Amino acid sequence: MPHPRFSGFGLGLRKPHYADFLETAVPVDFVEVISENFMIPGGRPRRILNQVRARYPVALHGVSLSVGSAHGLDADYLGRLRRLVDEIEPLFVSDHLSWSRAPRFNAHDLLPLPYTTEALDIVCANLAHAQERLGRPMLLENPSSYLAFAQSDMTEWEFLEQVCARTGCGLLLDLNNIHVSAINHGFDPLAYLAGLPLDRVRQIHLAGHSRGETFLIDTHDQPVPPSVWTLFAEVIARLGPVAVMIERDDNIPPLAELLDELDQARALARHGVAA
Amino acid sequence: MTLAMLQAEFGDWLMTGSDRAAARFTPAAQAGLLVYQNNYRAALMACLHESFPQTVQWLGHEDFQASAAHCIDDCPPDSWSLDHYAAQFPHSLAAQWPDDPEVAELAMLEMALADAFVGPDADALDGTALGLVDWDSARLTWVPTARLLTLRTNAQAIWSALASGRTVPPAQCIPHAATVLVWRHAETACFRTLDPLEEALAPRLFAGMKFADVCRALVRAKGEADGIRTAGLWLAQWAGDGLLRRDAMT
C-alpha cells in the first residue's frame, strides 16, 4: 500500500480552540483530532469536524485500536472508524503500539507490550487486519511506558522496525515518548532513533511531560521541553517530507502559545534542513 | 507466559489493585504497575465527573467520588468507548442510593441528554413544511434522538435548578410517575415533561401513530372542537421543537 507524504506543521484540535479554527485563518498546514471523540452518530462535534475539514487537512489519531490485544480487534470499533475515515478522508490514520482491550475489559489506557516474537506476530496480524478493514495504511506511534517486561527479547525500536517491514505501516514518531521512556528505562534516545526505519516516518508529535515520584509521566500538559527539541533537531534533518505537530491534551493554553511552539519547530526544521 | 495470560493478569491488577495480582509481576515492575493503576482509575473517574456535572453538584464532591469509586470497583469498563462506561453509572447509583432515588434519576437524565447531544442527525420538519405532509395518512415519525424516560422523583426540577444556578428544590417522590421526553433540537439536548393526555397516548404516539388517529383520540377525549384544536397545538409544538422527521413525513 502506498504511503502518502505530507510536509507541514499542525496542531491537535482541542475544544477551547474550536472557534479559532472555524472563524479565523489559523496558520497551520493540518490539524489532528482524536478519532474516538468523533466516532459518534451525529450532533455538534461531527458538524464541527466537517467544518474544520473543509478548511484544513485532518489527521485521525486513535487511542483505542488496541493493536497489541491478544484477542484481536473490536469489529464495532473498526466499523465506526471506517465510516469516519470515509467521511473525513484524513491525511493519516494513526494509533499506538500498545494494548487496552482484553475479554470483557477495556483499560482505556495505552498499556505496554512485551517485545517478544509472539507479541510481534499478534501486532502484525491485528495491524494488517485494521489496514485491510480501513482500506489504507496506518501510522503506528511509539509509546511511552513505565515498566519493561523481563520476557522481552528485542528492543522497542527493533520491534517497530519489524512491524513496519511486515505490515507496510508507517510511523508516527513521538519524540516526547522516546525521551520519557529513555529516562524511565535507561536507554539512549539516539540509539532508539538510529534503530528505527526513519524512511517510514510520516508524522512527528512534539509534546511535554511531568516528573512523577519515580518516572517521567507522559502527561501532554506542558510545553515541549528542551530535551524534546534537541531530539527534534537531531532527527528532522534525516527525514523526508513529514507532518510535524504540537500535541497538547491537558492544561490547554491559548492558541497563540501553541503557535509560538509551532514556529519554533518550523525554525528548527529550516535550520536542520539547511545544515 | 502467553501474551493472553499476561494481559489477563495485567487487567486483573488494574481492576483489583490487589497484592495477589501485583505479585504475578517482577519486583522491578511494581513501581510502573502503580502508575498504570493510577492512570486507569483517574481516567474512569474523570469520565464520570465530566459526564454527570449536575449529579456531582447534587451529591457533593466527596460523595460523588465515593460513588464513582464504588462503580469503578464493581463495574469495570468493557467497551472501547468511555461514553458506554458512563452509561452504567446511573444503575450503579440506583444500587448505592436506594433511599435517595433522585440521585440515580438525575444521572439517568444527564446520560439521556448526553446521548441526545451526539445522537444521529436527521432533518426536522419545521413549520414551513407542515403543508407538504398528507395528514390523512401521515404517521408520526420522530427524530432519532427522541427518547422517553419515566421518572418517579422531581429529578428534572433538580436538574433544571442546578443547571441554571437557581435554588434547588428538596428531593421528593412524585405521586404519579412523570414521562419525560428527551431529544436534540438545534444542536442542544433538551427535555420536557409530557402533559397527562400526551403521556396517556405516548406508547402509541412514539410507535408511529397516524396523525389522523391522534385527532380521533383527542376528539374522543375532549370533544370535537377542543380535540381538533389540541391536535393542532400539539403538531405546532412538535414541529417547533424539531421533533418530527422531515424525510419520513413529506
Side-chain angles (χ1 to χ4, degrees):
Chain A
M1 284 184 278
H3 277 285
R5 280 195 176 271
F6 181 88
S7 179
F9 294 83
L11 290 177
L13 179 70
R14 303 294 180 259
K15 272 185 194 170
H17 304 144
Y18 280 176
D20 295 295
F21 278 94
L22 290 176
E23 295 164 12
T24 68
V26 179
V28 297
D29 302 306
F30 74 101
V31 299
E32 183 191 84
V33 301
I34 303 299
S35 309
E36 289 79 4
N37 290 349
F38 300 93
M39 289 163 59
I40 49 176
R44 185 167 177 266
R46 280 293 272 263
R47 177 184 60 76
I48 287 173
L49 177 60
N50 277 288
Q51 289 181 339
V52 168
R53 175 66 185 90
R55 300 175 63 133
Y56 307 89
V58 170
L60 292 178
H61 185 49
V63 294
S64 297
L65 178 65
S66 192
V67 75
S69 172
H71 297 273
L73 303 181
D74 184 312
D76 172 61
Y77 177 89
L78 277 177
R80 291 192 195 214
L81 182 56
R82 174 64 195 246
R83 287 191 287 279
L84 186 64
V85 166
D86 288 346
E87 183 176 323
I88 298 302
E89 298 179 338
L91 198 54
F92 302 115
V93 182
S94 61
D95 209 300
H96 302 77
L97 177 62
S98 64
W99 70 279
S100 54
R101 175 173 177 266
R104 296 173 300 285
F105 178 65
N106 196 305
H108 295 284
D109 193 9
L110 304 169
L111 300 177
L113 284 164
Y115 297 128
T116 62
T117 304
E118 184 207 9
L120 180 63
D121 290 342
I122 287 168
V123 167
C124 289
N126 286 341
L127 189 54
H129 175 54
Q131 292 183 139
E132 184 182 353
R133 183 73 182 83
L134 299 177
R136 56 183 294 151
M138 292 186 70
L139 304 185
L140 197 58
E141 178 178 337
N142 57 294
S144 56
S145 64
Y146 312 108
L147 65 79
F149 294 100
Q151 58 263 54
S152 289
D153 49 26
M154 64 187 100
T155 62
E156 187 171 291
W157 53 93
E158 289 168 339
F159 193 94
L160 281 166
E161 192 276 334
Q162 286 289 309
V163 175
C164 287
R166 287 172 53 174
T167 67
C169 75
L171 288 176
L172 194 175
L173 191 60
D174 189 311
L175 295 172
N176 177 58
N177 286 351
I178 292 177
H179 174 73
V180 165
S181 290
I183 297 296
N184 289 347
H185 303 308
F187 63 73
D188 178 0
L190 297 181
Y192 192 114
L193 288 173
L196 285 178
L198 293 180
D199 61 317
R200 295 300 185 97
V201 175
R202 293 294 180 276
Q203 190 179 347
I204 288 182
H205 275 172
L206 297 168
H209 54 262
S210 300
R211 182 170 292 281
E213 280 184 27
T214 312
F215 300 108
L216 294 188
I217 307 293
D218 178 28
T219 46
H220 292 187
D221 61 353
Q222 301 294 322
V224 179
S227 52
V228 175
W229 286 124
T230 300
L231 284 179
F232 180 63
E234 175 68 32
V235 77
I236 189 65
R238 294 150 61 187
L239 299 177
V242 68
V244 178
M245 61 163 276
I246 307 294
E247 188 185 36
R248 188 70 169 261
D249 294 325
D250 210 348
N251 191 22
I252 308 283
L255 185 62
E257 288 185 27
L258 298 178
L259 290 172
D260 285 348
E261 285 193 286
L262 203 56
D263 281 343
Q264 192 171 344
R266 286 187 177 100
L268 276 171
R270 273 196 302 272
H271 179 265
V273 170
Chain B
M1 183 192 296
T2 67
L3 184 61
M5 291 162 63
L6 183 151
Q7 291 179 344
E9 293 187 351
F10 209 113
D12 188 33
W13 156 253
L14 294 178
M15 285 184 276
T16 67
S18 68
D19 292 342
R20 175 190 52 77
R24 297 195 191 112
F25 295 85
T26 62
Q30 298 300 311
L33 286 175
L34 290 173
V35 175
Y36 287 107
Q37 166 78 204
N38 183 62
N39 286 354
Y40 167 73
R41 296 187 73 86
L44 298 180
M45 191 65 80
C47 160
L48 296 178
H49 264 268
E50 288 165 18
S51 302
F52 300 97
Q54 311 310 344
T55 309
V56 173
Q57 281 201 70
W58 179 249
L59 279 177
H61 184 74
E62 277 188 25
D63 279 345
F64 185 91
Q65 289 278 110
S67 296
H70 193 283
C71 179
I72 292 167
D73 289 338
D74 275 9
C75 318
D78 62 359
S79 163
W80 61 268
S81 167
L82 277 170
D83 290 346
H84 298 167
Y85 184 67
Q88 59 189 332
F89 190 48
H91 306 292
S92 175
L93 288 174
Q96 294 184 60
W97 297 86
D99 298 329
D100 302 281
E102 86 287 354
V103 176
E105 291 199 344
L106 183 60
M108 185 168 70
L109 180 58
E110 288 205 87
M111 196 67 230
L113 289 166
D115 284 344
F117 183 68
V118 296
D121 296 322
D123 279 340
L125 185 74
D126 60 20
T128 62
L130 290 176
L132 303 175
V133 179
D134 174 3
W135 292 107
D136 288 337
S137 61
R139 288 188 180 278
L140 297 170
T141 308
W142 307 88
V143 290
T145 55
R147 173 183 166 193
L148 296 174
L149 296 180
T150 301
L151 299 182
R152 293 173 174 77
T153 71
N154 62 335
Q156 69 272 44
I158 294 171
W159 187 95
S160 297
L162 289 168
S164 61
R166 287 185 278 111
T167 303
V168 183
Q172 60 182 39
C173 289
I174 49 183
H176 303 289
T179 301
V180 174
L181 175 62
V182 179
W183 77 104
R184 185 178 73 234
H185 180 41
E187 297 193 340
T188 299
C190 35
F191 69 88
R192 71 172 169 85
T193 304
L194 299 187
D195 76 32
L197 198 49
E198 212 179 8
E199 186 178 47
L201 283 176
R204 294 170 62 202
L205 279 176
F206 288 89
M209 190 177 188
K210 281 186 172 181
F211 183 68
D213 292 335
V214 175
C215 294
R216 276 189 276 276
L218 287 174
V219 166
R220 274 198 301 277
K222 300 175 75 102
E224 180 82 20
D226 202 15
I228 295 298
R229 189 180 65 82
T230 301
L233 289 173
W234 281 11
L235 185 58
Q237 181 174 17
W238 295 334
D241 287 344
L243 273 162
L244 298 174
R245 189 168 177 158
R246 181 185 180 116
D247 59 352
M249 296 187 62
T250 56

